[in-house]
Amino acid sequence: MSGRKQAQGRRACDKTVVLLMVLLILLGLVTLFSATYYQRTASGDALAAVKKQLIGIALGAAACVTLSRVPYRTYRSPRIMLALLALSALLLILVIIPGIGVSINGSRRWLNLLGLSMQPSEFAKYAMVIFMAGALDRRGEAIGSLFGGVVPLLIVPGVMFLLILEQPNLSTGGSILICALAMLFCAGLKKRHMALLSVMGLAVGAFYAWSAPYRRERLLSFRDPFAKMSDEGYQLSQSLIALGSGGLFGMGLGQGRQKFAYLPYPESDFIFAIVGEDFGLAGCAAVIALFAAFVFAGLRVSLSCRDRYGCLLGAGITSMIGLQAFINMGVVTGILPTTGLPLPFFSAGGTSVSMIMAAVGILLNISRESGCASL
């Protein structure tokens, strides 16, 4: 028996997931440098943003390696789940309190802890995934009942959604609800219940977006951003100009012009536009292919897991990363209404990249215990 446990402990994690993560991180650093090097006149260092991102990557790498060796079933413990949810709720409440949460551009989404800035919503995303995986595993066949099994499970994601709306941050709150719905679908949610919940979610999102004039203008502007270029359509217009300027193979690393006081947030929400301008359609296609391969590899790890909990946990982590990438790229290309959501592994933000890498560490442990180590 001890020999079997040692053999399990020596199992390698999935090399494909590791390789894809490393490639996305490296491409993200190159793109971040291109998006921010011109700021050296203000900071005195062309690599200032890259160095800051490397701190988050270093913390994320340490968390990834550590969590890849912690048995994923540990998170199934009710005590662990409740502790993660309680910490998420506390941080989400603290961030919306004036004087405690850091307000930037009218949004209060950050906390300053020991000189480091963090976004509690990034932690809440994966706390929700861990909770949903455990709850769905325990509920089993009960999710066949809409009001008896499904609706109670949505209370926790719903509360997180409402707290994040107070920041305000509709995109992150919405991604939590969509990911929860995706996990329900993976657990065997009935199609009619899936359709009903999807329609209800869209109705809630539309009502919120329509309830304030500036959100309503932003919602409508993505249909024809150039008609509202002086107002709510400005960001998307500049993004589309950047993408169009790149052509097939791009203008070259750092040669793009839109980041020079034209494109807002080129280092974060609209960094994919920098990919398009510098590396063209070919570069965008390569990035999309890498994300698609990452999602495929993550789902393969999940499906190869021997138990229901590990399968749901892996699927939830993969869905959250894939969903966030799809929404960000959809916004930048004008497929979706303009909203603020970082591109995983690319956008500047230590909290985002470190939390994603930590979540990948859990996914790697699932692959390690499932014996899935293909390249």
Side-chain angles (χ1 to χ4, degrees), residues 21 24-25 28 291 294 321 343-347 353 356-357 360:
M21 178 178 69
L24 286 167
I25 289 172
F291 273 112
F294 181 89
I321 296 173
L343 182 62
F345 304 115
F346 278 73
S347 295
V353 71
I356 291 172
M357 292 179 71
V360 172

Side-chain angles (χ1 to χ4, degrees), residues 236-254:
L236 181 54
S237 298
Q238 297 300 329
S239 176
L240 294 177
I241 291 172
L243 291 169
S245 301
L248 187 57
F249 297 108
M251 302 176 69
L253 178 63

Side-chain angles (χ1 to χ4, degrees), residues 25-362:
I25 289 172
L26 291 176
L27 281 174
L29 287 172
V30 171
T31 308
L32 182 61
F33 168 74
S34 175
T36 59
Y37 77 91
Y38 72 96
Q39 297 175 1
R40 62 182 180 273
T41 54
S43 63
D45 186 359
L47 294 173
V50 174
K51 290 176 180 177
K52 197 172 181 181
Q53 186 81 341
L54 284 171
I55 296 174
I57 291 172
L59 293 174
C64 183
V65 172
T66 301
L67 294 179
S68 72
R69 299 181 179 277
V70 176
Y72 67 86
R73 296 180 187 85
T74 302
Y75 313 109
R76 192 179 182 277
S77 166
R79 290 184 179 180
I80 298 294
M81 285 195 300
L82 289 174
L84 291 174
L85 290 178
L87 180 58
S88 296
L90 176 62
L91 293 174
L92 289 174
I93 291 171
L94 286 176
V95 79
I96 60 178
I97 298 176
I100 299 179
V102 178
S103 180
I104 301 177
N105 295 329
S107 297
R108 191 175 288 109
R109 303 176 184 177
W110 296 266
L111 283 176
N112 198 329
L113 301 175
L114 302 176
L116 296 175
S117 179
M118 70 162 293
Q119 275 189 278
S121 58
E122 295 296 326
F123 179 80
K125 290 177 184 177
Y126 298 101
M128 184 281 300
V129 169
I130 290 172
F131 162 77
M132 286 295 292
L136 286 169
D137 183 40
R138 288 184 175 85
R139 290 268 173 169
E141 299 298 325
I143 63 167
S145 170
L146 179 61
F147 295 102
V150 176
V151 173
L153 289 178
L154 292 175
I155 292 176
V156 169
V159 170
M160 286 185 176
F161 172 74
L162 293 175
L163 287 173
I164 293 173
L165 277 189
E166 292 299 315
Q167 297 180 4
N169 192 346
L170 177 61
S171 54
T172 299
S175 67
I176 285 178
L177 288 182
I178 297 172
C179 184
L181 194 59
M183 293 181 71
L184 281 166
F185 179 76
C186 292
L189 180 67
K190 293 180 180 179
K191 292 181 180 179
R192 64 176 182 273
H193 293 165
M194 180 79 175
L196 177 62
L197 291 173
S198 298
V199 171
M200 291 174 62
L202 287 172
V204 170
F207 173 79
Y208 179 79
W210 206 263
S211 61
Y214 82 93
R215 288 195 294 264
R216 183 162 60 247
E217 287 298 316
R218 178 174 291 187
L219 178 65
L220 295 174
S221 66
F222 94 104
R223 300 180 305 171
D224 186 5
F226 293 99
K228 298 179 179 294
M229 195 170 177
S230 62
D231 193 11
E232 291 296 338
Y234 179 80
Q235 286 178 302
L236 181 54
S237 298
Q238 297 300 329
S239 176
L240 294 177
I241 291 172
L243 291 169
S245 301
L248 187 57
F249 297 108
M251 302 176 69
L253 178 63
Q255 299 303 307
R257 298 184 294 267
Q258 291 306 111
K259 58 178 168 283
F260 295 106
Y262 296 105
L263 178 67
Y265 310 115
E267 76 286 353
S268 54
D269 296 346
F270 282 84
I271 196 168
F272 188 64
I274 301 300
V275 175
E277 190 172 24
D278 284 7
F279 306 111
L281 179 62
C284 290
V287 171
I288 292 171
L290 283 174
F291 273 112
F294 181 89
V295 170
F296 178 81
L299 292 178
R300 181 176 53 78
V301 167
S302 305
L303 291 173
S304 66
C305 188
R306 296 184 178 91
D307 69 89
R308 178 180 168 88
Y309 174 70
C311 179
L312 291 169
L313 182 60
I317 291 170
T318 304
S319 297
M320 181 63 78
I321 296 173
L323 176 67
Q324 189 171 326
F326 171 76
I327 292 176
N328 177 277
M329 292 186 287
V331 166
V332 170
T333 56
I335 297 174
L336 299 173
T338 303
T339 186
L341 198 64
L343 182 62
F345 304 115
F346 278 73
S347 295
T351 307
S352 176
V353 71
S354 58
M355 285 305 306
I356 291 172
M357 292 179 71
V360 172
I362 298 175

